[in-house]
Structure formats: C-alpha cells, structure tokens
Amino acid sequence: MSSLLPGFVVNASVKEVASNGLVMSFLGGLEGVVNIRHLSADRPFSPQSYQLKRKLKACLLWVDVLAKAVGLSLSGHLVNRQPVQFQDVEIGDIYSDASIVYVDPSHFLVADLGSGHVGFSPLSLVYDERKDSIGKPLSKGTRHTCRVVQFNLLDGFVIVSFKPSIIERPFMKFSDLRVGGVVKGTVERHGDFGMIVSVTEMIRGLVPSIHLADVPLKNPRKRLKEQTEVKCRVLTVEPEPRRLLLTSKKSLVKMDGKPLCSYEAAQLGSTYAGVITSVHTYGCIVHFFGGVRGKISRGELSSTQVIFDPRATFSPGQVVQCKVISCDVAAKRLVLSLRHEEVPHQSEGTRRRQLKAGDTGDFEVTGVEPSGVNLRHCLSKEMAFLPTLHLSDYAELCPLLLGVYQKKLEISAKKGHPFVVSKGLVVACKALGFRPTLVTMKRTLVEKLKEPCLSFSDLEVGQVLTGFVRKVVAYGCFVEFPGNLCGLAPVKHLTDKFVSDSSGVYQEMQTVLAKVLEVDGTKERFLLTLRPSDLKLSLRHSPEQVREKLVMLFEYYLQERDTLLSSLLETDSSGGVEGSLASSLACFQPGHCLVGEVLSKQGDKVVLELEDGIKATANSSTAGEEVTVGSRLKCCMLDLDLQASCVVVSLNPKLAAMATDAAAVTDDSLSGSGRMQKTPKRKKRPSRTHTALFTPGSSLTATVEYNMPHYLLCSSSTVAGTFPVYGICDSGQMGSLPTMRPGSMVNATVLRHGSILRGAMDGHPIVEVTAATISSTASASKYQGQFDLKIGDIITAVVQSVQRTQLNVKCGLWKGRVHGSMVLDEGFSTLEGFSVGEVVKARVVGFRKKPSKSQSSKLGPACDLLELTMRPSLLDPAVAISSKDMCADLSVGQEVSGAIAKIQESGMVVQLSPSTRGWVPCLLASQDIEVVKDLFSHFTEGDVVKCTVMKQFRKGLDASLSLIGQYHQPKPGSFVVGSPLTKHHQQHGRPETKSSKSSAVVLLVSLPFGQTGRVDITDLSDVFVDDNPIKGVQDFSFLKCYVLAVGKDRIDLSLRKSRTGVELIPASQDGDTTSDGAAKLEPAPDPEIASVGDLHPGQVVRGYVKAVTDQGSYVHLGRNVDGRVKITYLTDGFVKDFKSLHPVGKLVKAKVLKVDYASRKVELSLRLSHVDPEAAKKLRKKSGGRLLLLPQASNSCTSDGESLESSSEDEDAEPMRSESEEEEEEEREKETVKVEKRVK
C-alpha cells in the first residue's frame, strides 16, 4: 500500500453498496471507499444503481497507510484526467430556481443549477444562524434560490449558498467593487503597514496607516479594535491580483461631493477632496481615488499668504479640498490649487504672467510673517511677497518696518477695511524660484526701475549696477538685478580683505552695488565684483557728481528712518508694538542734552542708562575727563541706533555745553544719589541759528565721535560753538564705511546745512570727510579734476621709464602703463624709440589694482593704475573702446607677436597683450637641439618673438604657442628633437604568464606638437651593448632623432651614430689588448635589420632575448623582426633549467637556421658549434675532446672568441653530440609527441 499514490487510475469492482457510497476492491484484495460525491456523472448521488462485482475505472484520491484505507473517485474528469469547465458561471451569480437533488441532513445538500452544473452547499452555507442539521423546507425535489460563492475543481461542484444575507449582498468578488464606493467591513487585524478589513469571507482590503483617521493615531489598535465594524470607501481595486485599498477617514467616507476616480472625470475649476501623500520644498502631492494624483505647486498652497516651506504647514495624511486648474489626460498630469478665490483659473501660466518685472502698483497686505509680508495685487488678485529685507535698503530698519506693518494690519482689521501699500515694485516673477511674484520697497531699486530694465545684451565690462544678493554660497554670491539678470561675484571679489568663505560677508536680499568684470556671451553668464575699492564713485565721476550721489543715498536713509519713527509714534498710541521700546526711542530729539549713569565701560565703549531704562552708548575718546562706572554724566544725543535699540550720545563737553543751552538742562538733574531726574528731552527743539555757519562747499575740520554702519557721527567746532554733524564718504559699497578711530581729526566739506528730522530740515548738517586724518592728507582741492577718468578718455601722459615690454607713464595723479602690444595696430613694438620725459598721447582702456597692499585703504587714483593704448586706430574718439581691447583675439593657426615674460627649463611664457599670455614648450621653441637644451643662453626676457597659436593649453594661460610654425608630422629621413619618456614604456612581445617572461624593447620619445615616437632597442646605437641601453638613454634630457618611418599611429626613430652623428652609448671594452698581447680591434657595428628580407640562412647576428617560454626563447633582431630558438638549439649541452641560461634582456649571438619570407618567421640557433665553430674546436681541444656547457655570458662576446677560452669547465656537462645523434634525438621527440597526442 505504501507504493500507492493519489492520482493513480486502477481497475476496481464493486464489492459493497451503502447509502452514502460504495466499497470497491482493486489490485487483488485491496479495498477502497467511494463517497457519494464522487460517483460518476451518469449516476450521481445514486449508489443503489451500481451492481455488485461491476468493474469500473477509479482514481485514487487519498491513501492512509496507517489505517490501511484508500479513497477512490469515479468522477469522469479525474479518471480521464480532464479539467472541469465551469462555463457561463461566475462567482456572485444568483439561481432562483435551483432544484435540490440530494440532502445529507448533517453535512450538505446538492442542487441542480441547470446547464449541466451541480451546486454543492455545506451546512455552514445553508442558514444565517447556526444549526446542526438541514430542515424539511430544503428537502429533495424542492426549488430554492441560491448564489454562487466558489468553485470546487477537485469534486467538480459549484459551491453555492442559500443564506439570505449572502444572496442579498451587493458584491461577492473584487470586480463587483467600484472605486469611490462605500463598503462595510470588519477589522481583522493591525500591522505596521496599516489595518486589514474583511469586507466578505472572500474579500479583504488594506487600510494604509495614512488613511486610518483624519488625524494621526498614536495607538490605532485602541481606537479601531479588532472584530469591530467599520465603514470605508474604496480607494483602488485590482481584481486580477485581488488587491483592494480602502480609506476609513471620516472626511472622505462622509463627503458630500463626488469623488475624483479618473483623469477623464476631472473638470477644470471643480473642487475634489484628496489626501496629501508627500510634502516637498516645491509643493505637495495629492492622491485621489482610482490612482489619480496631482501636484500643488508652492505658489498655489494658499490664497492669503506665501508659503516658503510647505513641510512646515502641511503633513502627509492631511485631507484637502483641491481645485483643478489643468489636466492632461494623455500624460496623466493633474495640476491643482488650494486657492479658492473667485478669479477664474484659465491656465496655470495666465495668472503668473499678469505682472512683470518693472511694474508698480497697489498691493493689499494679507498677512505678516517673520520672513516678510504677504501681498495681493489689487487689480489682478495675484499673490506676491515682500521679503523683510526688501522693506528697505538698510537692514537695521527692516525689522522695525515689519512691526509697523503688523500693527497697521491689526488696526485695519479692526476697522474693517484693507491695509493697502502703494508703489510696490515688482522685481521678478522667478526671483525666488517659485510662483509668487517678488515685490520690493527698496528705494534704490525703485529709482533704478524708473528706467527701462536691462537685458543681457546691454551689459558691458566696467558697468556698475544696483541689485540685491539672491543667494550666498561657499564660492561667492549671486546678485540679482531688475530684468531677471543674475550674476556671480566670486569670493575673492567680495571684499578688499581676504576671506576664504563668503558666509557672513553679505546676507540674502541685501542691497549691493556691483561692477561687471567679465561677460560670457556664449553661455550668457557674467562675473561681478563687490569690492568697495572697485566701486568708488570717484573712479567714474567728478567730485561734484560724487557729492551729489553721496548726499542722495544718505538722504534716502534719513527719509526712511524719519518715516519709520513717525509710524512708530502713530501705531504706539494704543500702547504696544514690540515696539514700545522703539517708540520710546523715537521720542528722543538729536542735539538735546541728556543725563545718564555709567553702567559699564569696556575699552573706549561706554554704556549708560537714561530715564525709563533706555540704554545709551558712547565713546570715551572725546570725553574731557576719565569715565568711571557709576558716575552720572551730561551727554549730547547724537543719533538713534535702531538696530541695537539704544541712543548714541557724545561725552564731548563742548557738545554737552551747546546741548544744555538748547534744552535748558540744569545742574539739579545731576544732584542726589538716587534715581536720576527726568530731563525735558521731549520739549520742542528751538530753531537753529547756526545754519549760516555750514554753507555748502565750505571746508572745515571735524572730530569723529562715533562710527555707524552707513555714516560717521562727528562734531565740528565753529566760532559759534561745537555742533554735531553727519559725516559721509565715498566708501564704494553700501554699508562698508571704513572705520575711523573716534577722536581723530578729519578734513570735511559741507554738503548740506541740515538734514531731515520730523519732516523738516532740522537735523545735523551733512559733510563729506576723507578717509585719512589731516596730518596725512592734502586738501581736497588738490584732486580737483583728477578723479573723472573713465574708459575711453584720451589723455596726455609723460613717460616715466622705458622697459622692454611696457612704458610706465604718469598723468597728473594717475600712474599707468602702455604695454608693447598696445602701441601698434599689428605686432609688438620694441619700445626702443621712446625716452624718459617724452610726452605721449594715449587712451584709457581699463584699470588694474596696484600690487602694493599699502595703498589699499586710500581713496583716489593712488589705489589704481591705468591701462593705456597708443594704437592709432583706437586714438580716434569716434571709435568705441572697452576693456576687451586689452585681450588678444586668438585663433588656432594665427601668427602673433609677443614678448618673453619668463623663461623656465620646460618652456617660456610669452606676453601677447596686457591680459593675454601664452606658453611655449621647450620642444616648440626651436628645431636646434642646442637651443632646446639651454633656453637661457639663447633667449632673454623681453625679447620679441613671433609665435603661432596652437591650442588652449592649461589653466592660468590663454594659449599654447609655437616658435617653429604650425603643426606638421616629421618626414622620413629628417631630424627631430625629442625628449625621452622615463616613466611609461610600451611592452611588445608575448604577454607575461607563469611560463613566460618578456621585457620592454622600445623607448618612447616625446616629440613636438604632442606626438610620440618609438626607438627600438636595436636602433639605440651602432654597436649593441649588454648593460640596459634604454636606461642609459633615458638619462638624457633631449635627443637628436633620425626619422626612419612615419605611419598612421606610429613614428619610428633611430639614435644610431651612423644616422645622427651623435654617439649616445659608447661600445664597452674591457681592455685595449687581448689575452695574448695583441691589440684589440674596435667592435664591428651591428647591421640594421628592418625586415626578414635582411636575413638569410647561415647568417650570424646579435640580438636581445625578448621572451622565454616553455617551448624556447625569442630573440629580438630588429624593429619588426623576432626570431625563435627552440629548446634543442639553446645550447650544445644538456641543462635542466634552460630558462636561466639566457635571461630576458641578455645580448646573445645567434645563427639563422631558416627564414620563411612569406610568414615572416625566423628560426635561430644559439649553439656555440653553430655560432662560432672555431671557438667550439678550441674549447673541445682544451677540454680533452669534450665540448662543455658554457656560462651565461659566454655567448655574448665578439667574434674573436677570447672569452670562450677563459670559461670554466662544468664537470656535469655532457660531451657534444654528432649531427646523426641529434637527428635521431629529434625523431624520437617527434614520435613521443605523436604518442602523447594519441593517448590524450
């Protein structure tokens, strides 16, 4: 029985008939049972119809070896091995007229479904409630309604159910489910990935963790317990893999609107509920039903504010109501918006283009954040953003202005009308990299944008622009300008001081001035400089223009600050901006006398406390007495430091005395040891009587009292007394005022008799100061007319000195140079015709920094040198000129002239123009090897040479040059200068394996124009030497080479003396005489073997062992010729280790045995008896008739054979064999090889 397996078909006979089946015998005595369900289809469920001993075919269903029981089946599909076909029947089909044909009350019933299908229903699928047996209503012959729930392929039945709950169920399979439909289910279990919900016995779905509830659940098992009923909505359904995703979010299950289930159903302007599945910096991804998903860009996330980082506002799992603004059904691309304003969304790009750079208009403030102000354009309703640092050109005013906006927005909200700001300027729509338009209130940008916006074609080198820092990176700053122009300022061009990192130098959105350094028209990129020394107004304007621009910029600051202080006082009337401290500061009147108590003193910096806890700061350098902590002093208020939230005062007693008269402060305010008395600082300041003392244009001296970021607080003594003044100077960059030591005296020129204060010109006078003290600076009138030079100006200069490559000239206070390439229209001038003191006419083409670092802090022309040109074609004022004229316009193959600037062993640097240099490698300097060997003796720095442009060579230089003409290949038979390559050698021959060794037989030589030549080891000298000849040649720096042949990728060279006339490797001789006293002859030269045609059988030649293998050795005889030496022909004697006899690289003498000219194969012999018979006879005679094995060096001698006689005897060597013995040995070897092949 153990050999029986289910599936076997056997012949069986009916042995016994029972009510629920048959007992059958098979295989001569074994018995098996047939269940009533497995009777044949022609007699179903009728065991009494089977006669005893009837023979039938049966299929084994199961075998129980222990119980010795076997289950059989008479079903035709099992016996005949044919699958059951359930045609026209699907799960979920309902049969209303099914006839019951058999009932087993305790287990099941069988119904006839028609069309040849039989339905089987177990007891568990008959009733909804639990019962132990099937009742009479379901008796044989009755008709009832049932529903298909499954198929039984083994028994061939359709599983049906008579349960009313299953018959009335809306779906039975995955295809019955509809995306977006609501279903009920039971929580089956929880997992890390979500929750499993059982919809029916056969359908289970997954609720992902993100879809469990509207809010994240910390403990979902406690909220959604197992075996509890839940209501879900179908997200996606895939019938084929039987995959179902559900959501149990109440906001989605109970939503009123129609769910979005396909891209085709998406309607523009309609709103649909979706779930955010991922949040990125560029926006959010929202998923709907049926796998539909869309993107909400960052600019569409809100209609009231600009969201910079969506990750801080939105989170995965959040349900949002999205509006469709575009849908591409073919590409399955859906663009959404969370902005639900009434303005129609025609397309994503329509609203984005309503505003453009340069537009001004009114904007409604919708919100204030620490990062800036959210705006909405009053006409187009387009969202815009006003960053905090775009509220003003001055960073210290921006936080206070933001507080004023916040307070005004709250006041407007209480009154019920919008808060609108006017004259907002659109800078760019893509400046921040996302949808909202960028708006600025910077005064400098607003004034600049009154002019037409610049385009890239309008940029010129030397042009100064006003912009703002867009982004700060490690290697520099990106500066943006109106018109969507953005340039890079490298880190070395950020400040006059050395900085290794750009962080901390400038901050994003800061207003800066930038000068164009370089413009790349092909890539549309340009470089900038932010160095204050490069941006000084005096480099481009006259003194009158400089003063006008300085006053204009400074008055911008005063006007903005005055407006801010007025706004603080207005908004603080109800009591409270962060602001209340700033509002208190706004009440102070500059020029009034105050009384303060010294809190701390650190160096020269003094901190005082005024009334109401207001802090004041001062510098003790101008105090008339020593300042101690705890003392109470009179001081004069100079200004407000809004960034530090304190008052700036002066301890200068002269200023305090004048302020006391103006404010009527008495000594009673200093009496007592308790809290200081209040000073009448809020009294109206009397009108000035000293304005006539500060007439514009007059000169005076001033004392520095305090350093502010954009200006100096100074004091000036006049006949009427000492008064505070504002000091400004041409610092170049905004906010980069040079620090001056308080207490130092400076020269000053009055620019304005007063400044704006509380809406009137009642503030301090404005003066221009120099950056040096009186003791080190001349009067300002000395520089009158000397600051207005610019590119293109024609000047008259005096030659100061004549150098080999340039003229050093002077024009007034300016110093400059005329490079030799800028004298003639074509070529390089030698400058020999100029003399010191000669007056020349030149034109300004550029400026360059003076190399000396000592001048970096001075103003005026002392910090820059002029680049001039004397070319006749450029001296015409009608001809446009720029700094590009200092660069040589080079092209490959062009012939140019230049001066040698530097000579090195490896080559020379040639100056072609003031800003263009080239490199001449030594191999391209001359075709004479003597010149190449010693460039210093044949060239001098300053020599004018004619060069040919080859190509771009290396970083830091502009071109690779040649003094020997254009690129050309050497011709056979010519001479060329080369340099041996010492590190890279090309190996030829057989590859190295365990059984072979090979060596390099080629010397690589670097040739002009980047070419490489090859010198074979046999072409190094006329006489071969056995002492690593390649290494000996590599010691030479330069070689004179003879060109043998030029191929497609190969140049063959020769260094033989017979070719070049230069002997690099002398032939080695051990002595001048032989052993018998005769004079030793000079060694005969080895012939050149270029091909096998130069060889013939019987010829004796020399060569180098190239490789040693298991079959023999290979000897290199010439450039393209190698010969093979079989083991038999390696020596006359027998050796066990023949590989060590002739090592690789050894110089040997060989006899040509055979030459196959067709296949170019050469057979050689190294036997002494073949190579030198006379020497072999002498050795045989000396050894008593035996020819012994010679040492390794014995065969590398010359033809005189002297070294053979001096070789030592080897007792183990065998005597020389005759030719017949050798032939017999060869025959035996051949036979042995044949036998081995047959055996294999």
Side-chain angles (χ1 to χ4, degrees), residues 984-998:
H984 305 282
H985 303 292
Q986 186 174 353
Q987 291 191 351
H988 297 272
R990 306 170 74 92
E992 287 193 21
T993 60
K994 294 183 179 180
S995 60
S996 69
K997 296 181 180 179
S998 61

Side-chain angles (χ1 to χ4, degrees), residues 559-603:
Q559 291 171 6
E560 288 190 12
R561 190 179 68 170
D562 195 63
T563 304
L564 171 63
L565 295 177
S566 301
S567 299
L568 287 173
L569 293 175
E570 293 176 4
T571 56
D572 195 38
S573 59
S574 59
V577 192
E578 158 197 342
S580 135
L581 175 60
S583 301
S584 300
L585 293 175
C587 298
F588 283 86
Q589 187 84 356
H592 279 187
C593 181
L594 304 175
V595 179
E597 180 179 348
V598 179
L599 295 180
S600 63
K601 182 177 182 295
Q602 186 175 4

